[in-house]
Amino acid sequence: VQLQASGGGLVQPGGSLRLSCGASVRTFSRLAMGWFRQGPGKEREFVAAIDWTGGRTSYADSVKGRFTISRDNAKNTVYLQMNSLKPEDTALYYCAADRFGSGSSSPDGYDFWGQGTLVTVSS
């Protein structure tokens, strides 16, 4: 499984971005997907996850109410809509795929990782 994340960039505080992650696999609809991020000098942390049906989502407390994870199984793509961005959201954002679960908040629960896309929130 290859994952390709895109959509990062420079945005002002309060702005929005939408990240996309495309998967090169026929069984995408069976995968749970997650987004993680790693800020400067920080460990990788959970952002959001979605189960294979798209019916169950989970979020880190720090992004709840501002970020929305969704998926389009017909396009083999998972999205992360990020609104009301803050400077502390600055990080390299990674998407990940989980073959067997429903979307864990732990990086150990994922089998495949994309290369990351950089989000910088600054005025």
Side-chain angles (χ1 to χ4, degrees), residues 32-37 43-51 56-61 63-64 69 94 96-98 101-110 113:
M33 300 295 295
W35 286 97
F36 290 77
R37 67 186 182 186
E43 295 186 352
R44 189 171 298 191
E45 64 175 358
F46 170 73
V47 176
I50 188 167
D51 75 345
R56 185 165 64 182
T57 59
S58 59
Y59 297 91
D61 288 342
V63 306
K64 211 171 282 184
I69 188 171
Y94 299 89
D98 172 6
S102 58
S104 171
S105 61
S106 169
D108 294 339
Y110 292 82
W113 292 81

Side-chain angles (χ1 to χ4, degrees), residues 24-118:
S24 61
V25 61
R26 288 184 295 176
T27 56
F28 177 79
S29 62
R30 302 178 191 173
L31 302 174
M33 300 295 295
W35 286 97
F36 290 77
R37 67 186 182 186
Q38 188 165 13
K42 298 180 181 179
E43 295 186 352
R44 189 171 298 191
E45 64 175 358
F46 170 73
V47 176
I50 188 167
D51 75 345
W52 64 278
T53 70
R56 185 165 64 182
T57 59
S58 59
Y59 297 91
D61 288 342
S62 59
V63 306
K64 211 171 282 184
R66 300 188 297 122
F67 291 10
T68 302
I69 188 171
S70 62
R71 65 189 297 157
D72 185 338
N73 287 343
K75 296 183 178 180
N76 278 19
T77 302
V78 63
Y79 303 98
L80 185 68
Q81 178 66 44
M82 306 186 296
N83 299 328
S84 302
L85 282 162
K86 305 175 181 179
E88 51 263 42
D89 294 318
T90 294
L92 193 59
Y93 283 72
Y94 299 89
C95 60
D98 172 6
R99 289 180 295 170
F100 303 114
S102 58
S104 171
S105 61
S106 169
D108 294 339
Y110 292 82
D111 306 288
F112 307 102
W113 292 81
Q115 86 292 353
T117 185
L118 181 62

